[in-house]
Amino acid sequence: MQRNSHQVYELGYHIIFCTKYRHKILTGEVEIACRNAIAETCAAYGWTLEEIEVMPDHVHMLLAIPPKYSVSSVMGYLKGKSSLM
């Protein structure tokens, strides 16, 4: 359970996103950079990254985010920051 000043919530999302055309590029150094970029972005915004698994062509994440953020905006931040790396 997480708390804000006016609410108590427990929101967990299992999110999967794929590379373009499912190319198998998330291996080696790219996998480590992707994992680190996602973890740093989550820490900066106060989201809880409970689990992450980077496969060669997709990423599985279990995220706990506050209700003030929509899932689509969170994914916009995460995919934007990870693509820059």
Side-chain angles (χ1 to χ4, degrees), residues 15-26 34 55-61 75 79 82:
I15 299 171
I16 302 169
F17 69 92
C18 303
T19 58
K20 190 171 184 179
Y21 305 119
R22 303 282 302 231
H23 288 297
K24 298 182 184 323
I25 60 169
L26 298 174
C34 179
M55 305 301 286
D57 62 345
H58 63 280
V59 177
H60 286 267
M61 295 182 294
M75 286 309 299
K79 289 178 81 172
S82 65

Side-chain angles (χ1 to χ4, degrees), residues 33-50:
C34 179
R35 187 182 303 265
N36 291 338
I38 290 172
E40 289 171 5
T41 306
C42 288
Y45 285 100
W47 307 324
T48 306
L49 181 63
E50 295 177 4

